Amino acid sequence: MTSVEGLAPALAMLAAFACLIGGGVLIARRSDVRKGVLMLVMAAVLVGNVFIWTL
C-alpha cells in the first residue's frame, strides 16, 4: 500500500467522526435538523466507503 492509499481511509474516518459529532450537535440544538440528518447520512456513507476500500 502506498502512503496515499493508507492515508485516504484514515482521513475518511476522521471526516466521518467529525460529521457524526457535528450532525449530533445540530440535531440536539434543534437549530437545523435537516442538515444534521444529512451529516449523519454522509458519515454513514464515508464509513461504508472505508469498509469497501479495506476489503
Side-chain angles (χ1 to χ4, degrees), residues 1-16 45-47 49-51 53-54:
M1 223 188 242
T2 64
S3 62
V4 175
E5 290 173 352
L7 186 63
L11 288 176
M13 286 305 295
L14 287 174
V45 169
L46 283 171
V47 170
N49 282 339
V50 170
F51 181 70
W53 290 340
T54 56

Side-chain angles (χ1 to χ4, degrees), residues 7-48:
L7 186 63
L11 288 176
M13 286 305 295
L14 287 174
F17 287 129
C19 288
L20 280 173
I21 293 168
V25 167
L26 284 176
I27 291 171
R29 288 186 184 168
R30 302 268 186 215
S31 60
D32 201 349
V33 177
R34 181 184 298 172
K35 285 184 183 177
V37 170
L38 287 175
M39 288 179 77
L40 294 179
V41 170
M42 185 171 69
V45 169
L46 283 171
V47 170

